[in-house]
Amino acid sequence: MAKIIMTKPSGSGIALGGIGAGSVELMPDGEFHYWQIANPPRLTEVCWEKKADDGESSAGALSFWVRAKQAGRRPVVRKLGMKTDPDDFTYRLFPWNKPVEKIIFDGRFPVCELQYEDNALPCRLTGRAVAPFVPHHIDIAATPGFYMDFEIENTGEQALTVSLLGTLVPDFCNDCGCRNILSDNGDNISVTMQPAQKNDAPDCGEVCLGISGDGEKSFIAGEYKRFIREYIYDGEYGVSQESVLFGFREKGSLPDSEAVAPPPVIPENTGSLSDNEINALFSEYSRYPFAASVLGRINDVLPSFPSDREEKERFLNSFREQERLLKAEEFGAAALCGKVCLEPGEKKTVRFILSWFFPNHFSKDGRRFGHFYENLFSTAAQVNAFLRENSSEVFEKAKAFSKLLYTTSLPEVYPDSWSGHLSTIVKCSWYLKDGRFGLWEGLGFCGFHTTDITYHASFGLLALFPELQLGQMRMGAAFQRADGRVHHFFTPDLEHVDNGFDRVDMNNQFVLMVLRDYLYTGDTEYLKDMWQHVVSAMDSISALDTDGDGLPDSETKRNTYDAWNFAGTPVYISVLRLAALKAASRIAEETGDSVRAEEWKNLLAKGLDSLEKRLWNGEYYNLWMSDNNKDETLMTDQLDGEWFLRMAGIGGNLPEARVKSVMKYILGRNFDPDSGLINASCPEGRATTLYSHKNCQAQAVWTGIGYVAAALCLSVGMLSEADAVITAIRDNQAAFGALWDHWECGHHYTRPMSSWTTLIAASGLKVDSARRTIRIKPVSDNITLPLCLPGVLGTLEIRNGSVNIRTVEGSLNGWKVLTKQQNA
């Protein structure tokens, strides 16, 4: 990702977590936002209202600080995030605890690197967050947790001591507070936070914060939230600001407090207690940093305090008055610290791991769905240990995948788009305990596995986690209506669908996806299972062609542009229909039905002839034509079906010269580098209708369709035009602080995952796994690109037309690789 220097708020970041496991967003301000780990409504229900709980109220729950100390100098403390809420800490009264001056944020999902810069820090400090997004290993990729590493380099000329502090202040414990569990193995320490009272509430679960890596470790296993942040002690022994941060600044470590539950309540009449009971109560309170801190301040002035029972009672009674602090429901926060000593030029790393376990995912009618990760783990501590002990299989492979995506000679806006939208798979996914999977169309909006959106969005999912794509296709096929119409979207239970069967683009898209999925996976059982669904879908589409010319001409009003109605014979639907005919005939050949294969091929030839006669106007294809009317609006997405044929490796229906001329005409009128690529316009002198004139969707920029257009341009050699479109998308999203949150019908909309097809188009990749054949026809004779296929990761390097494939996972042994010349 082109680096972001954090100087103002950003509204999006990198989703850290597992597929279907919930996530936390790390944003360019260095803070962890949108805590969607505890089944909040935004993730589990349709939430049209902005007020729905999206987890943002927990921003700041996980925070980090650095302390750097050189001999003979005062320590320097900096907060590694820009959030300075006075309810957390009165920063401006204690300005030694200020945020770093600058954060350079480099988001390359599943990795996010943050360079912290501050003139007062005598070291180089880099943060590196990594989600467990490991392609082709869904059991790993569904892990509910992530890594947060801090690499410290001593760039000075004298020895340096650096401490990293991580605090976790949970607010997802059912308002009853937490009872923690400490695990101290010397080299690694973790604290698990569990609710004091367990029940079936969605937010009843566990979080675990662990620390490992270099240096000395110290901890506070359990504390009141206010002390981990700040509270004011106001009692008989003065008034003092109390916080874990004061001790951290002074010592660079924590007191190794093992208390994991609140201290006993101090009775109103302590005089009724025996001496032994007073001694025990005083000793118990002294174990807690919130009280030990005050006691330490008193001892600075009165070293012998407490000298008798009376002073112990008075000390205890002073805490009974701290009502803002001593709330049982606010107990359970924790802190971990790593301290390293570095000689000049030396580097060391401190690792934090956050994990969680919130199994109470229910439907609105009370049925338990759970999460897939319950099949792998039973506690948050198990997750933490798994991530720590399997770093080479999780951290290193996720990091290597991030690096692989950026192994390209294309401008950085391309891998930015490939990487950035993959985070949507983590952000918007359900992966239930029984294995059902689905992606929200937009987070908390519409539904799951929306056919016309999955059609655009599923290329990357198929390449990296093919079982998830095939699974949701099978799930959808089961809801095909008796008349052959396929489903629109699933409601938030993955067991019911809406009534959007009237969208006439979806049957074509369903057929196209079936063939593409088969070509990528070679799964003959999948093709066999889907065959009758394909036949029913094709028969249903045929019913819309009343005159037998190969193109639909009735009931063509509704489509993915759901606020923009068509009529007669629309180009968008017609090109999709022709693409489906080509795909269906290939499926028929694969399944041995030569009669249907021939029938659909003949209809395709007729339809292509009709397309030219009915809709071609000499410059582009008209939007639609009926017996008594026409709309000559110039639709950007008119060749959508052609795009899919080319991206899926099926091969296009239209000559390259025609595709190129249409795309040049579209970009010349619908694209502006500043505002981007709009969905439609009407050229001067052409006829439009009230359906299209100033239509809200026609005038809009849909980034998912922009990527489609860019990929189609690449497929016919229009590299500079594709560069311009993708750059405009990136620049406009950056201007809104939303690089990782494209909005259409809801935030984190899934259609822009179509960006993956620009990778396919740049390589001209065609895959036929059943025949173990790959065809390469790159956009340039000199180009480097990542290669991502089911079971295979690697790089594709083309020099002077010669192809070299290097695999880093899986093997292409026994595969035939055909180049541009061989394709010809």
Side-chain angles (χ1 to χ4, degrees), residues 412-634:
E412 200 169 62
V413 291
Y414 283 89
D416 282 353
S417 72
W418 308 332
S419 158
H421 293 294
L422 287 178
S423 67
T424 305
I425 299 176
V426 169
K427 185 76 180 181
C428 292
S429 57
W430 275 18
Y431 193 19
L432 305 185
K433 187 175 182 180
D434 63 8
R436 286 178 294 158
F437 169 84
L439 283 174
W440 277 107
E441 182 177 334
L443 186 60
F445 283 74
C446 303
F448 291 85
H449 179 33
T450 305
T451 295
D452 48 311
I453 309 303
T454 299
Y455 162 80
H456 286 119
S458 54
F459 281 87
L461 181 69
L462 175 64
L464 304 177
F465 301 100
E467 64 270 47
L468 298 183
Q469 166 59 11
L470 270 59
Q472 65 176 354
M473 286 292 288
R474 283 191 167 100
M475 183 174 72
F479 285 82
Q480 187 175 30
R481 211 164 62 178
D483 63 358
R485 291 289 184 100
V486 300
H487 86 285
H488 177 220
F489 66 62
F490 279 82
T491 57
D493 59 7
L494 303 189
E495 294 178 355
H496 300 86
V497 297
D498 74 330
N499 197 32
F501 292 95
D502 57 341
R503 299 182 182 223
V504 294
D505 45 356
M506 298 188 307
N507 274 33
N508 304 293
Q509 293 163 337
F510 173 82
V511 172
L512 286 161
M513 285 191 284
V514 168
L515 178 57
R516 178 207 57 186
D517 296 350
Y518 167 69
L519 291 175
Y520 263 70
T521 64
D523 190 331
T524 55
E525 285 301 309
Y526 171 76
L527 196 67
K528 180 181 177 182
D529 292 344
M530 302 300 273
W531 168 238
Q532 286 305 318
H533 295 291
V534 168
V535 172
S536 296
M538 292 300 292
D539 289 346
S540 179
I541 303 169
S542 295
L544 306 182
D545 179 10
T546 61
D547 58 10
D549 69 347
L551 302 181
D553 52 52
S554 66
E555 299 180 38
T556 56
K557 182 169 132 178
R558 297 282 290 152
N559 65 94
T560 196
Y561 295 85
D562 50 8
W564 184 13
N565 293 333
F566 300 154
T569 300
V571 61
Y572 166 71
I573 303 300
S574 295
V575 174
L576 272 171
R577 164 63 167 162
L578 297 174
L581 283 167
K582 184 165 190 173
S585 63
R586 172 70 183 273
I587 295 172
E589 289 175 344
E590 294 286 338
T591 56
D593 193 328
S594 58
V595 173
R596 280 199 173 89
E598 190 66 22
E599 173 191 341
W600 287 330
K601 284 181 181 179
N602 291 337
L603 196 54
L604 172 60
K606 185 185 291 187
L608 286 169
D609 184 60
S610 300
L611 181 71
E612 299 303 310
K613 291 177 179 177
R614 286 183 64 82
L615 294 171
W616 180 248
N617 65 21
E619 295 174 308
Y620 61 94
Y621 293 97
N622 289 331
L623 181 66
W624 55 262
M625 181 80 70
S626 66
D627 291 339
N628 53 17
N629 201 0
K630 67 178 178 180
D631 190 327
E632 295 178 304
T633 295
L634 174 65

Side-chain angles (χ1 to χ4, degrees), residues 711-764:
L712 192 53
C713 285
L714 288 170
S715 75
V716 292
M718 297 169 61
L719 179 57
S720 62
E721 291 87 345
D723 289 354
V725 171
I726 295 175
T727 299
I729 291 173
R730 197 264 178 204
D731 289 349
N732 284 327
Q733 290 297 127
F736 292 108
L739 285 172
W740 299 277
D741 179 10
H742 289 219
W743 192 93
E744 193 177 312
C745 181
H747 290 278
H748 299 278
Y749 200 65
T750 51
R751 196 196 307 265
M753 289 169 62
S754 59
S755 61
W756 191 264
T757 63
T758 63
L759 170 57
I760 296 171
S763 64

Side-chain angles (χ1 to χ4, degrees), residues 100 128 291 349 530 618 703 724 781:
V100 288
R128 188 171 294 109
T349 299
M530 302 300 273
T703 56
D781 285 339

Side-chain angles (χ1 to χ4, degrees), residues 222-224 257-267 273 275-293 295 306 312 315-316 319 326 331:
E223 250 299 353
Y224 289 103
S257 169
E258 298 183 356
V260 294
V265 175
I266 301 170
L273 301 178
D275 288 349
N276 286 340
E277 288 172 326
I278 287 292
N279 290 336
L281 193 58
F282 178 84
S283 296
E284 183 67 15
Y285 268 72
S286 300
R287 296 174 57 218
Y288 290 82
F290 78 85
S293 175
L295 181 59
K312 291 179 181 178
F315 180 78
L316 290 169
F319 278 100
L326 301 177
F331 188 89

Side-chain angles (χ1 to χ4, degrees), residues 622-768:
N622 289 331
L623 181 66
W624 55 262
M625 181 80 70
S626 66
D627 291 339
N628 53 17
N629 201 0
K630 67 178 178 180
D631 190 327
E632 295 178 304
T633 295
L634 174 65
M635 185 185 193
T636 293
D637 201 23
Q638 60 185 263
L639 300 184
D640 190 286
E642 183 72 12
W643 160 80
F644 195 98
L645 287 175
R646 290 166 178 263
M647 299 308 110
I650 302 167
N653 279 326
L654 301 177
E656 288 210 1
R658 170 55 56 81
V659 173
K660 184 178 289 190
S661 70
V662 170
M663 293 310 298
K664 282 185 176 294
Y665 196 86
I666 288 170
L667 293 177
R669 286 152 183 82
N670 291 356
F671 176 70
D672 175 79
D674 179 62
S675 58
L677 182 62
I678 61 173
N679 284 332
S681 67
C682 190
E684 187 176 351
R686 295 290 184 179
T688 187
T689 64
L690 284 176
Y691 288 134
S692 300
H693 181 58
K694 293 187 177 180
N695 173 272
C696 61
Q697 292 184 339
Q699 291 185 311
V701 172
W702 286 3
T703 56
I705 298 304
Y707 290 127
V708 166
L712 192 53
C713 285
L714 288 170
S715 75
V716 292
M718 297 169 61
L719 179 57
S720 62
E721 291 87 345
D723 289 354
V725 171
I726 295 175
T727 299
I729 291 173
R730 197 264 178 204
D731 289 349
N732 284 327
Q733 290 297 127
F736 292 108
L739 285 172
W740 299 277
D741 179 10
H742 289 219
W743 192 93
E744 193 177 312
C745 181
H747 290 278
H748 299 278
Y749 200 65
T750 51
R751 196 196 307 265
M753 289 169 62
S754 59
S755 61
W756 191 264
T757 63
T758 63
L759 170 57
I760 296 171
S763 64
L765 179 68
K766 293 183 178 181
V767 182
D768 187 341

Side-chain angles (χ1 to χ4, degrees), residues 3-189:
K3 292 180 175 62
I4 298 172
I5 299 175
M6 181 58 209
T7 57
K8 63 180 182 179
S10 175
S12 70
I14 296 295
L16 301 171
I19 294 176
S23 65
V24 179
E25 271 190 63
L26 179 54
M27 291 193 182
D29 65 355
E31 303 285 357
F32 296 85
H33 295 260
Y34 296 115
W35 287 68
Q36 296 178 354
I37 66 175
N39 308 304
R42 178 62 70 193
L43 185 61
T44 59
E45 303 173 13
V46 174
C47 298
W48 299 104
E49 300 85 1
K50 291 183 180 179
K51 64 183 179 182
D53 180 11
D54 54 13
E56 180 56 14
S57 63
S58 296
L62 177 65
S63 297
F64 294 98
W65 283 262
V66 63
R67 175 191 184 270
K69 179 73 170 67
Q70 292 175 311
R73 298 186 183 183
R74 292 181 178 178
V76 176
V77 174
R78 291 293 182 266
K79 188 176 190 289
L80 301 180
M82 299 297 188
K83 184 176 182 287
T84 55
D85 190 332
D87 287 339
D88 294 341
F89 189 91
T90 49
Y91 291 92
R92 287 177 290 282
L93 296 181
F94 301 92
W96 54 264
N97 179 24
K98 60 172 69 75
V100 288
E101 293 173 352
K102 184 165 63 175
I103 298 175
I104 300 175
F105 184 92
D106 193 3
R108 303 185 177 205
F109 181 84
V111 175
C112 178
E113 188 167 291
L114 302 91
Q115 189 70 43
Y116 305 99
E117 297 188 358
D118 194 297
N119 288 328
L121 285 174
C123 61
R124 180 177 291 114
L125 180 61
T126 304
R128 188 171 294 109
V130 178
F133 192 90
V134 179
H136 310 140
H137 299 275
I138 188 58
D139 284 4
I140 293 176
T143 302
F146 62 87
Y147 301 89
M148 186 69 218
D149 280 13
F150 292 97
E151 181 184 270
I152 313 105
E153 180 183 1
N154 185 353
T155 55
E157 297 180 354
Q158 59 177 291
L160 180 67
T161 300
V162 177
S163 300
L164 271 301
L165 170 68
T167 65
L168 184 59
V169 183
D171 62 357
F172 23 75
C173 287
N174 288 321
D175 297 325
C176 60
C178 291
R179 302 298 179 266
N180 298 350
I181 300 173
L182 172 68
S183 174
D184 183 359
N185 297 316
D187 289 338
N188 57 81
I189 300 170

